[in-house]
Amino acid sequence: MKVNNDLKERLKIGALFMFQSYKVIMGSLLILFVPQKCEDSNDNSGSQFAFNSDSAICSLSDNLHKTDDTFHNVTLGFNFLCVLLFFGMYFVELRRENWCVKNLDINHDFPDNHLDDIIDQRPLVKAELRKKNNRYFKISCVTSSVYLINLILSSIIIYTNYVGIQAVTSYTSYVALILLKIYNSLFISYTSLKGDKALSGYITEFSSFNVFDEDILTPKPDAEKESILNTENTPNNKIVTFNGTQEITRPEGVNLELAI
């Protein structure tokens, strides 16, 4: 079977989606996966792990079935609501990506903003792109707002049931992954909407240093002109070795003595 560029892009997007789904679940269900303190350490079911005589670390089942804590249950509802919104955002995002793969392409012979110069030639394509960008931006804003509420509520519960450094590390890593995803979605959707662009939310590329820095091109005072760039071009260089290991370069005729 011949693998074309469209299939390669879809496979890459699918693999990245599977990885990001794990981030969404762990980062949204904070009060389930971040370790918390349970007051009763004498649970006969074995679902808790004691760390002192008065408290224990809650298991996943304990955090899921705290029926007597209304605030906990409300926060748990926001946790699951965030998961649903994130997967809704992914649905919109993936449909947009699939449309871009089908109707557009990536050509490195043209600049990234080349689509701005040709999009007016296809009014229907431009209108459809703007509709998908607008939908992507709206769902990103709604998801980000709900996650902010979820983060505040979850942080209160985790702080109240603080269990130690393991809670801090888990909380920080999960939240960082989600915040990075939210930032990327908002930036890509807003930039694409305002500029009629088709920035991909999954296909990213490495950058190459291909020009000289201004510090090299700007003339410097005489006292700062020594550089490793012209060390190798100095005529009549001579290699002097100290103790058979370290080598330095000096002009011919300069004698260096090592005091012993």
Side-chain angles (χ1 to χ4, degrees):
M1 182 181 67
K2 183 178 179 181
V3 180
N4 55 23
N5 290 331
D6 289 353
L7 181 58
K8 290 180 181 179
E9 291 171 355
R10 288 189 174 96
L11 291 175
K12 183 177 181 180
I13 292 170
L16 290 173
F17 167 73
M18 295 300 295
F19 172 71
Q20 293 194 13
S21 299
Y22 165 80
K23 297 193 305 182
V24 164
I25 294 175
M26 301 300 290
S28 297
L29 304 177
L30 289 173
I31 64 173
L32 291 184
F33 295 110
V34 175
Q36 299 175 56
K37 178 177 65 176
C38 283
E39 295 300 330
D40 184 13
S41 62
N42 297 318
D43 185 5
N44 295 327
S45 65
S47 62
Q48 297 172 342
F49 302 92
F51 61 89
N52 58 42
S53 58
D54 298 324
S55 57
I57 297 179
C58 297
S59 68
L60 182 65
S61 177
D62 294 327
N63 292 328
L64 192 59
H65 298 98
K66 289 185 177 181
T67 56
D68 57 338
D69 191 340
T70 304
F71 184 71
H72 178 92
N73 293 331
V74 171
T75 305
L76 185 61
F78 270 95
N79 280 196
F80 282 104
L81 177 61
C82 277
V83 174
L84 293 177
L85 285 175
F86 269 111
F87 278 105
M89 185 179 71
Y90 278 127
F91 177 75
V92 173
E93 193 176 61
L94 288 172
R95 288 193 63 184
R96 175 181 176 273
E97 290 285 327
N98 184 67
W99 182 88
C100 290
V101 170
K102 182 179 179 180
N103 294 275
L104 305 172
D105 206 348
I106 299 174
N107 191 334
H108 296 290
D109 295 331
F110 297 94
D112 291 339
N113 59 354
H114 181 65
L115 185 63
D116 298 342
D117 301 330
I118 62 174
I119 191 67
D120 291 330
Q121 301 174 10
R122 300 292 180 92
L124 294 179
V125 174
K126 181 178 181 179
E128 185 67 19
L129 176 61
R130 181 170 297 178
K131 182 173 69 173
K132 292 187 177 299
N133 286 337
N134 184 56
R135 187 179 299 150
Y136 184 28
F137 178 68
K138 287 181 178 179
I139 189 64
S140 298
C141 291
V142 172
T143 304
S144 303
S145 301
V146 174
Y147 183 77
L148 180 60
I149 300 174
N150 177 48
L151 182 61
I152 294 173
L153 297 178
S154 300
S155 299
I156 294 174
I157 291 181
I158 294 171
Y159 177 78
T160 303
N161 301 310
Y162 179 72
V163 76
I165 190 63
Q166 61 265 44
V168 176
T169 55
S170 299
Y171 175 86
T172 304
S173 59
Y174 296 156
V175 172
L177 292 174
I178 290 291
L179 292 181
L180 181 61
K181 172 58 183 175
I182 289 176
Y183 170 78
N184 288 336
S185 297
L186 288 174
F187 173 79
I188 291 171
S189 59
Y190 178 80
T191 305
S192 299
L193 179 62
K194 294 301 180 181
D196 286 328
K197 297 180 182 295
L199 299 179
S200 174
Y202 294 89
I203 302 175
T204 57
E205 301 174 351
F206 293 103
S207 298
S208 175
F209 296 98
N210 55 5
V211 296
F212 289 115
D213 190 89
E214 292 184 359
D215 293 339
I216 294 180
L217 299 177
T218 304
K220 296 182 178 181
D222 294 339
E224 301 180 1
K225 283 187 176 180
E226 293 185 4
S227 173
I228 60 172
L229 295 177
N230 47 21
T231 299
E232 297 179 355
N233 297 327
T234 304
N236 300 324
N237 284 347
K238 180 179 179 180
I239 304 299
V240 180
T241 303
F242 292 98
N243 298 327
T245 56
Q246 184 178 3
E247 294 184 357
I248 61 173
T249 304
R250 292 292 184 270
E252 187 72 26
V254 177
N255 297 322
L256 299 178
E257 295 181 359
L258 179 63
I260 301 176

